[in-house]
Amino acid sequence: MIQTKATARQSLKIQPKLRMFANGSSEVNVLRAEHASALAAPKSPLLRKVAAQRGELAVALTKSEVPATVDVARRTLDHTPDDVLANVFVHTLDRARRVRPLPGETARRGDLTTATVSLADLRRLAARPDVAYIELGQSLAAPTPIISNEATATAPAERRRWAPVAKHRGGEGVLIGVIDVQGFDFAHPDFLNPDGTTRWVRIWDQGGDARPSPTTGPPFNYGAELLQKHLNEAIAAAPSVRVPAQELERQSQMAEASHGTHVASIAAGNSGLCPKAMLAGVLISLPEADLDRRVSFYDSTRIAHAVDYLIGLADEMHVPLSINVSLGTNGHAHDASAAVSRWIDAALTVPGRSVCVAAGNAGQDVAAFEGDIGYVMGRIHTSGKIAARGLVTDIEWLVAGNGVLDISENELEIWYSPQDRFAVSVRPPGGDWIGPIDPRQYVENRQLADGSFLSIYNELYHPANGANWVSVYLSPLLRDGAVVGIPAGQWTVRLHGLDVRDGHFHGWIERDDPRRVGRVGPRQAWSFPSFFSEQSNVDNSSVSSLACGHRVISVANLDEAAERVNITSSQGPTRDGRCKPDVAAPGTDIVAAKGFGAPGDPWVKMTGTSMASPFVAGVVGLMLAVEPKLTAAQIEGIIHRTARPLPGADFQWANDAGFGRIDPEACLAEAAEVGTRKDITR
């Protein structure tokens, strides 16, 4: 049935994805929390039951591939259980009048507040007169660098040429902040001072509990803060107890060849760009185990907190700050209107702060060789134009099959001009059309014949950017002793032109990264990315939503040896036509510290925009050492001005390389001249 109005007016303040979750059962949402990074169920009595059921589900489904349809009673915000929590951004109307904290408030910046609330409390929160609207934190995509298997026994001497220590102070007096995953190997030789102490001044492990939560900056009441004295005590004690220092000060993630360690080494290792800078890290909680994911948050509100934590630390130390974020998001409008982008942009209005973000690894849209499936990660964007009223256009959205059972939530968002009015219809693989759904109509948690669910929302005038948008969600059946994945094959999304004045649209898939989660009957269950067909995919505008911020530096992956942008590097522009990525930097076959590895195996080679972004963050650190009062806008301008075109290109912005290859020496020379003026008055 098409729903044409909300159950209560204040529920319109709750954005569609969050409303869909709130109207689901506890059992569904406990399982959803495994795949939905902004949901958690740490105190749910269903948690252990649901986890134990996994072993029974395979037996239940061996008798029949498709179980009988399960009737699901529709729920409303009035009858939502309170045992599932959500991380949300709350957009408020008047900060000056809001003295008391909001329920569940965790941080505040301007008219934005982050909060952790039960789904049952959403309606009460939305009913407040000072609340404009509430949106769920965005999912963070796990980094996907290419890790080389070839032995790398020697230090990355080739990178030392990019660390002009004597001439440019090597980042002395600057704090390099790294927001990442998989742990920071603080005792790695690339981070040790000559006396054996570590250059890491803080590590906030957002998923840890080994130490008290942070006292630096805002009073975040979760995670563990490891101070430099803790780290140095562990390093000093390690030889006598014959245990690695990292085991004495454990982090919640300590993966061999850890992403966070490699990234930090590029930006500020002893062999990196800023060997004299101070280092601080924020470890985003991204657990491997399913049960841990259900009790953890790893969404964009955590990025906002990480940025504020590092700013608080830099302010406490009275030093400038260069932050690197080699994580990304695919959701929202890719125009800097997402809450986390607005949060970071607001933070960057103060001089002496910069944030670099990896553009993403979604640039590949076709197979590069036989058997290559890298294109699956690249087909995330579509765009087109409905030329006139009465015309339609189809978008082909593919869900994997071939024995793979996708039990993750799949989401497609389509954004278009407020001048236009589109209706939307959806046809499941081998099924009949559902719709059309007109503007201001929705279908919520509609169960299909196989047992899975479809939700469609056709919304007008998003409060952050004024654009119209369509959200389509494919949800598995995760309850009542049965698991049904998303039907494999081609889902067709049809846009109908009702009133066309502009006609252009863009769409992005927000989905899970590939992750095996066990067997269901004879098939392997996955959280697997859906993707657009070759016909519907458009390879530009694939840059991560997080890298679309107005003042962040968005970085593409340069293959230095080939003198071109790596095939996997995401492309711009943003949906609103801005020049992202900003610049390209070396990100292919980069040798840096191998975290938590064997003593005789200290280095590893990786490829990705994750490696390119910290290179630029390191260059920014050198710039801030030269001129600590540079603003984020000035840093961006200098990088644009000094970038060198790749062979065959000119000085115009390019959708893959930005303004060209970063030139560290030229950046530093310009930074040194920012405050100088010559009086030529006669």
Side-chain angles (χ1 to χ4, degrees), residues 196 230-241 245 248:
H230 300 147
L231 308 180
N232 284 331
E233 287 169 358
I235 292 171
S240 61
V241 296
L248 298 178

Side-chain angles (χ1 to χ4, degrees), residues 524-607:
Q524 178 66 57
W526 281 72
S527 292
F528 200 86
S530 55
F531 53 98
F532 291 120
S533 71
E534 186 172 3
Q535 178 176 326
S536 291
N537 184 72
V538 177
D539 62 0
N540 63 15
S541 298
S542 57
V543 67
S544 160
S545 179
L546 191 63
C548 289
H550 288 283
R551 288 292 168 244
V552 303
I553 307 298
S554 175
V555 186
N557 173 5
L558 172 67
D559 183 341
E560 280 194 290
E563 293 190 282
R564 59 180 173 81
V565 173
N566 192 287
I567 188 176
T568 62
S569 188
S570 293
Q571 303 171 29
T574 64
R575 188 184 69 87
D576 53 336
R578 287 179 297 108
C579 298
K580 299 293 178 179
D582 294 279
V583 71
T588 300
D589 292 332
I590 303 299
V591 178
K594 182 178 183 179
F596 309 106
D601 185 22
W603 310 103
V604 67
K605 184 183 293 184
M606 296 187 189
T607 295

Side-chain angles (χ1 to χ4, degrees), residues 193-206:
N193 294 309
D195 63 0
T197 57
T198 186
R199 291 173 46 223
W200 289 86
V201 296
R202 292 282 197 285
I203 295 175
W204 178 23
D205 180 2
Q206 290 189 343

Side-chain angles (χ1 to χ4, degrees), residues 27-212:
E27 188 173 6
V28 168
N29 283 326
V30 167
L31 274 165
R32 259 181 178 148
E34 177 184 324
H35 311 286
S37 60
L39 293 187
K43 298 180 180 179
S44 173
L46 290 169
L47 187 62
R48 296 291 173 184
K49 173 190 170 186
V50 166
Q53 266 188 344
R54 272 293 171 83
E56 302 168 6
L57 296 175
V59 176
L61 287 177
T62 52
K63 298 176 183 178
S64 172
E65 276 293 302
V66 181
T69 300
V70 179
D71 292 327
V72 180
R74 285 190 53 78
R75 295 176 178 273
T76 69
L77 295 172
D78 296 308
H79 302 94
T80 302
D82 62 0
D83 53 359
V84 176
L85 304 178
N87 266 355
V88 298
F89 285 98
V90 183
H91 301 251
T92 57
L93 294 172
D94 192 340
R95 182 173 181 261
R97 296 179 183 177
R98 184 163 54 83
V99 178
R100 292 184 301 169
L102 294 175
E105 181 173 321
T106 50
R108 186 186 302 186
R109 181 170 290 280
D111 63 348
L112 285 171
T113 298
T114 59
T116 302
V117 297
S118 74
L119 294 178
D121 287 335
L122 284 173
R123 183 179 179 187
R124 287 190 290 274
L125 182 59
R128 289 176 57 118
D130 57 348
V131 169
Y133 66 100
I134 307 167
E135 63 180 277
L136 196 68
Q138 291 176 258
S139 294
L140 297 178
T144 55
I146 300 170
I147 302 176
S148 173
N149 292 323
E150 70 180 72
T152 309
T154 57
E158 70 272 14
R159 282 190 7 243
R160 291 199 177 99
R161 62 193 172 95
W162 294 118
V165 179
K167 185 177 180 181
H168 296 298
R169 300 177 60 194
E172 183 179 3
V174 173
L175 180 65
I176 301 293
V178 181
I179 302 172
D180 221 294
V181 296
Q182 298 184 344
F184 302 112
D185 188 347
F186 60 86
H188 191 284
D190 207 33
F191 303 119
L192 296 182
N193 294 309
D195 63 0
T197 57
T198 186
R199 291 173 46 223
W200 289 86
V201 296
R202 292 282 197 285
I203 295 175
W204 178 23
D205 180 2
Q206 290 189 343
D209 57 9
R211 291 283 181 180

Side-chain angles (χ1 to χ4, degrees), residues 455-480:
S455 298
I456 307 168
Y457 300 85
N458 194 346
E459 303 282 334
L460 301 180
Y461 308 122
H462 191 283
N465 59 16
N468 300 337
W469 82 109
V470 173
S471 299
V472 184
Y473 303 97
L474 312 180
S475 304
L477 171 65
L478 300 171
R479 63 180 305 229
D480 294 337

